Amino acid sequence: MAFQSLDVINRSASTSTPPQARGALEVAKLIDISKCIGCKACQSACMEWNDLRDEVGVNPGHYDNPADLTAQSWTVMRFYEEELPADKGLAWLIVKDGCLHCAEPGCLKACPAPGAIVQYANGIVDFQQDQCIGCGYCQTGCPFNIPRYSMKDQKAYKCTLCSDRVSVGLEPACVKTCPTGALAFGTKTDMKDLAGERLVELKARGFEKAALYDPSGVGGTHVLFVLPHGDPELYRLPKDPRVSPLVALWRSGVAKTLGVLTMVSVVVAGFFHYMKVGPIEVDEDHKENPS
Amino acid sequence: MMPAMRMPPGQEVVPRYSTGERLTHWAVAVAYVALFLSGLALFHPFFYWTSALFGGAAFMRVLHPFLGVALFVLFYAYALRLWRDNIMTDSDKKWMGQMVAYMNKAADPYVDGKYNAGQKLMYWSMIVVIAGLFLTGIVLWRPYFAPSFSLGARRFAAVLHAGLAFVMFVGIGVHVYAAYWTKGSMRAMTRGTVSGAWARFHHPGWYARMTGKERP
């Protein structure tokens, strides 16, 4: 890993604040669904670079192959046949599924193992499997249902945004291999500008509802989508994703402090009660012969 | 002096717990301590160091649910033998009304049963809390059961599990303190007997039924 400790701006289950000195440029991957042809070259490149080999599965009767994300498949092309609203006809929507690298990652919030999930100053959220204890809490934290649990080693896996490549100035493997330019990689500002230009083109071509997907509920993401038909739900993307309020409550400073205070107050109350009241003792001699 | 702790020869003792009950109680206690220490490491990073007591957090995470099942089974095996003595009665309501005064040694409310109302309340709250911890724990149990439950169920279970764990901590904290506070109680769980004087003072109704003697 070519990242330095200075690059880690957020660290799971840590009591100290990670270094905030480095103000790196935030990066982003832009997935332009209107340019995607569903060739799955990105899936192959991901396997190739990350040395992943999923088990050969079965054909479930649709184009999704493998059928779902797994600990060995960190990105999957999903194919949806969608009847568009307002009689716009049938559309074949192809969505590259994988980690969106949230600015406020729910996985990191839920993780109880110090340093098992880190966030770099450039926005990449990375699992550190050597610190992972296999509890699966990252899955409860993620609003996008991304982390996958390996039964082989009881650890969680997901897209790293090729943090190893990015740290040495290369684009992610999937971006490098995309033959149509549906994938682009750069600073988040540049990617938003690029998306803005594309949205103008799309709107001129009749995709009036075309929109950029950069959901604010998770502080924005470092994987952006250009959605030609606009509505995220057509693409099975959550409209307003946020970390579940249950997870937010469970992992909040308030709940943790309340828990610790509860424990402390039981001990303190017991101590002072004893010191004030003293023990209840039964006088054997006095009560032995009541009659 | 703590006369109830050491009895002169020939002093009256009343049996309170069988050897089986006492051993089960202490097995539950040991499981509880291990569960509490391992759960605490998962709850707050401040306590992550307790995972070192279990040979590292990854193994601790594997161990925790098995300990939980052990506690669940042992606790209910134990509790099943005690339930009749823990049914709330009318005199318990009176005790509850005087509980604060009792805690300040300002009142000595009459106790008819083997347990006073506070102990009964503890019993029933543990019946509920341990069932809740068991069920929510199953939902969170990786790798065996968690995949069968929805993400929503697992989120809910995680919050509830942590909440119930703190209710249990308070309950067990009160339980341990009460045993320390009322001198002469601990021997019921270490030797199985209490002194006659202790029984007459704390549980006069039970004492009368156990010995056939008149209620003091």
Side-chain angles (χ1 to χ4, degrees):
Chain A
M1 193 62 56
F3 277 113
Q4 300 177 310
S5 61
L6 256 187
D7 293 305
V8 175
I9 56 161
N10 204 351
R11 194 172 176 275
S12 57
S14 296
T15 45
S16 71
T17 310
Q20 306 293 317
R22 182 159 289 177
L25 282 174
E26 284 184 51
V27 296
K29 173 167 77 182
L30 181 64
I31 303 173
D32 185 346
I33 288 179
S34 66
K35 286 183 182 172
C36 178
I37 56 171
C39 68
K40 301 178 187 167
C42 52
Q43 283 183 213
S44 300
C46 179
M47 286 170 60
E48 194 62 27
W49 178 260
N50 292 300
D51 255 335
L52 302 170
R53 296 293 183 274
D54 211 337
E55 277 175 41
V56 177
V58 290
N59 186 334
H62 50 73
Y63 282 87
D64 301 20
N65 177 24
D68 194 10
L69 295 168
T70 69
Q72 290 281 310
S73 296
W74 297 347
T75 186
V76 165
M77 308 304 297
R78 298 191 184 275
F79 297 78
Y80 304 118
E81 281 179 63
E82 220 18 78
E83 269 191 76
L84 298 174
D87 284 337
K88 291 249 177 150
L90 196 67
W92 207 26
L93 308 177
I94 307 166
V95 182
K96 177 175 149 53
D97 199 7
C99 178
L100 272 70
H101 298 271
C102 307
E104 292 158 17
C107 56
L108 191 149
K109 202 176 177 67
C111 176
I117 302 180
V118 296
Q119 185 178 40
Y120 299 118
N122 66 10
I124 293 178
V125 178
D126 220 355
F127 286 7
Q128 309 287 300
Q129 277 81 10
D130 60 330
Q131 305 293 318
C132 175
I133 63 170
C135 64
Y137 286 175
C138 49
Q139 297 181 318
T140 65
C142 178
F144 299 98
N145 185 22
I146 299 299
R148 289 296 183 271
Y149 193 85
S150 167
M151 293 305 242
K152 208 184 282 173
D153 55 17
Q154 303 204 6
K155 296 193 182 310
Y157 293 90
K158 70 163 190 70
C159 159
T160 65
L161 206 65
C162 284
S163 55
D164 48 352
R165 292 174 58 88
V166 172
S167 68
V168 293
L170 300 171
E171 72 274 61
C174 56
V175 178
K176 185 172 176 69
T177 205
C178 179
T180 65
L183 300 181
F185 183 79
T187 66
K188 183 160 180 183
T189 323
D190 284 353
M191 291 304 105
K192 282 169 92 167
D193 289 346
L194 187 61
E197 289 168 24
R198 183 61 180 163
L199 290 178
V200 173
E201 288 173 16
L202 284 169
K203 282 175 183 164
R205 279 173 42 194
F207 293 94
E208 311 95 16
K209 288 184 180 155
L212 175 69
Y213 188 72
D214 179 20
S216 59
V218 290
T221 55
H222 296 90
V223 170
L224 310 170
F225 287 92
V226 168
L227 307 176
H229 298 291
D231 179 9
E233 280 170 348
L234 284 177
Y235 302 88
R236 312 297 194 277
L237 291 165
K239 191 159 236 155
D240 184 22
R242 351 186 128 252
V243 177
S244 156
L246 286 168
V247 175
L249 168 73
W250 172 44
R251 287 307 189 201
S252 64
V254 177
K256 283 180 181 171
T257 311
L258 208 66
V260 174
L261 277 181
T262 306
M263 296 191 302
V264 171
S265 54
V266 168
V267 176
V268 168
F271 179 78
F272 282 102
H273 178 262
Y274 197 86
M275 292 310 161
K276 175 178 176 266
V277 180
I280 292 192
E281 281 171 307
V282 182
D283 190 340
E284 295 291 333
D285 297 330
H286 179 70
K287 299 233 174 177
E288 192 56 38
N289 298 304
S291 50
Chain B
M1 296 302 285
M2 287 178 284
M5 301 292 281
R6 210 164 73 213
M7 232 65 64
Q11 180 133 25
E12 181 188 22
V13 291
V14 186
R16 194 160 165 86
Y17 292 109
S18 73
T19 306
E21 284 167 343
R22 288 189 295 118
L23 292 181
T24 320
H25 168 271
W26 287 116
V28 170
V30 169
Y32 167 76
V33 171
L35 277 163
F36 176 72
L37 288 174
S38 50
L40 205 55
L42 298 173
F43 176 75
H44 198 307
F46 189 78
F47 300 105
Y48 199 69
W49 58 270
T50 63
S51 59
L53 301 171
F54 300 87
F59 180 66
M60 179 193 77
R61 193 273 306 164
V62 172
L63 195 64
H64 184 88
F66 287 102
L67 287 168
V69 170
L71 182 137
F72 176 80
V73 171
L74 290 165
F75 172 78
Y76 282 100
Y78 176 68
L80 222 71
R81 307 176 65 152
L82 267 57
W83 73 271
R84 259 189 212 92
D85 289 319
N86 279 286
I87 295 166
M88 287 280 183
T89 59
D90 282 342
S91 74
D92 289 321
K93 281 176 200 150
K94 210 178 143 197
W95 192 96
M96 290 304 292
Q98 288 182 283
M99 187 173 73
V100 176
Y102 170 72
M103 284 164 60
N104 285 303
K105 290 210 264 184
D108 188 13
Y110 174 72
V111 178
D112 182 60
K114 185 175 181 181
Y115 300 109
N116 67 35
Q119 291 172 296
K120 289 177 181 179
L121 211 63
M122 176 70 61
Y123 176 88
W124 292 112
S125 64
M126 286 304 120
I127 293 279
V128 173
V129 165
I130 290 171
L133 282 166
F134 177 76
L135 294 174
T136 52
I138 292 285
V139 176
L140 295 170
W141 195 344
R142 275 283 178 189
Y144 309 115
F145 301 106
S148 330
F149 294 95
S150 71
L151 275 172
R154 276 145 67 187
R155 285 171 184 146
F156 185 68
V159 181
L160 205 59
H161 197 79
L164 287 171
F166 281 99
V167 175
M168 184 157 179
F169 180 84
V170 174
I172 298 297
V174 172
H175 172 70
V176 170
Y177 175 71
Y180 180 73
W181 178 50
T182 51
K183 299 298 174 196
S185 302
M186 207 71 94
R187 59 168 290 148
M189 268 306 159
T190 55
R191 282 180 262 187
T193 56
V194 288
S195 74
W198 185 94
R200 278 197 301 279
F201 179 77
H202 288 292
H203 302 280
W206 173 72
Y207 171 79
R209 286 193 297 280
M210 287 296 287
T211 57
K213 291 181 188 168
E214 252 184 59
R215 222 163 74 182

